[in-house]
Amino acid sequence: QSVLSQPPSVSGAPGQRVTISCTGTSSNIGANYDVHWYQQLPGTAPKLVIYGINKRPSGVPDRFSGSKSATTVSLAITGLQTEDEADYYCQSYDSSLSGYVFGTGTKVSVL
Amino acid sequence: EVQLVESGGGLVQPGGSLRISCSASGFTFDEIAMSWVRQAPGKGLEWVSGISWNGARVDYGDSAKGRFTMSRDNAKNSVYLQMNYLRVEDTAFYFCAKDVGPTTAGHNWFESWGQGTLVTVSS
């Protein structure tokens, strides 16, 4: 029952740039609620990589960046590395549901 | 260092009940909202419930309303999720997550997560 839509998968060769989109509606992203991104490596808990659309927590490489246009937010990974292979989820808040919502998740594969 | 340790997961029959716990350390617990987020095997993340710093406000996702109750004990630095009328589709890893503010709010995110506890609902 994810409210935010993401592509199921994206892939790229080492060193390339990939982007993941997160599309919402007027009650979440379109209502200007912030969007945040999490990386989940296999068998581990999610880890925050971007908060507030485009801010990186301490320790997250600057290869990770975020942007927003209307009701779509994007996560970009430049200079793709094998350790970036993981599932990525966007997260926001939805005023009609009065709670947090996650994206459907995107699997990033490094070819 | 922030640490969140979940416990209490296990196997329960459909229609049964279970209470899971999360013990927190490394931050001022009684100033921060907490949430439960679940992930069914091979599936995505789903926010289940969030509780304010003092427990006065609790919000639930649609799948939890009427069946789950989230609570906290600030003296024990712990949050709990009481799950009743469990269904097979409640089978998931349940993660405890630390909010960045005192209440569930529009611009907040989860800055720390526990490793999760597995709840399996099966006959």
Side-chain angles (χ1 to χ4, degrees), chain A residues 1-2 32-34 36 38 40 44-46 48 51-52 89 91 93 97-100 102-104, chain B residues 35 37 39 43-47 57 59 62 95 99 103-110 113-115:
Chain A
Q1 59 187 64
S2 297
N32 289 320
Y33 289 117
D34 277 347
H36 323 288
Y38 303 88
Q40 188 177 31
T44 70
L48 181 72
Y51 67 96
Y89 296 90
Q91 174 251 314
Y93 181 87
L97 300 174
S98 295
Y100 296 123
F102 284 95
T104 48
Chain B
S35 278
V37 177
Q39 184 172 38
K43 303 297 184 181
L45 301 174
E46 179 188 8
W47 179 75
R57 173 180 166 179
D59 297 298
D62 286 345
F95 295 100
D99 206 307
T103 63
T104 303
H107 298 290
N108 289 3
W109 61 93
F110 304 117
W113 299 66
Q115 287 306 303

Side-chain angles (χ1 to χ4, degrees), chain B residues 47-108:
Chain B
W47 179 75
V48 175
S49 181
I51 190 167
S52 64
W53 64 279
N54 60 357
R57 173 180 166 179
V58 186
D59 297 298
Y60 297 96
D62 286 345
S63 61
K65 289 176 182 174
R67 299 188 301 130
F68 295 0
T69 301
M70 186 175 184
S71 61
R72 67 189 294 159
D73 184 338
N74 286 346
K76 296 183 177 180
N77 280 12
S78 295
V79 293
Y80 310 96
L81 187 66
Q82 175 69 43
M83 300 181 288
N84 299 329
Y85 307 108
L86 282 162
R87 306 165 180 162
V88 170
E89 53 265 36
D90 294 319
T91 295
F93 282 94
Y94 285 73
F95 295 100
C96 174
K98 174 182 178 288
D99 206 307
V100 292
T103 63
T104 303
H107 298 290
N108 289 3

